[in-house]
Amino acid sequence: MAHNIRIDNEYAAILLIEILFEKGLVNKQTYINIRKRLRSQTSQ
C-alpha cells in the first residue's frame, strides 16, 4: 500500500541544511546564509 505524502519544499530544505550542518558537511556561515535566504523568501 503506497502513501502519498506531500512535504513543503521550504520545510524540506530547512531540514536538509540542518542535517548537513549537524554532520559538519556545511560550514556555519553557509548555514546562516541559507537560513536567512529561506526566511526572507517565506516572508514575501
Side-chain angles (χ1 to χ4, degrees):
M1 182 191 303
H3 296 281
N4 292 331
I5 299 172
R6 294 190 146 217
I7 299 174
D8 181 62
N9 288 344
E10 290 158 5
Y11 177 73
I14 290 170
L15 285 179
L16 179 59
I17 195 65
E18 286 179 354
I19 291 167
L20 293 173
F21 176 68
E22 288 173 3
K23 292 187 174 279
L25 299 173
V26 171
N27 68 34
K28 188 172 186 173
Q29 192 58 50
T30 301
Y31 172 74
I32 291 168
N33 291 341
I34 292 171
R35 291 289 307 232
K36 284 180 186 176
R37 186 176 300 160
L38 287 172
R39 284 187 186 145
S40 70
Q41 288 176 359
T42 58
S43 64
Q44 292 178 356

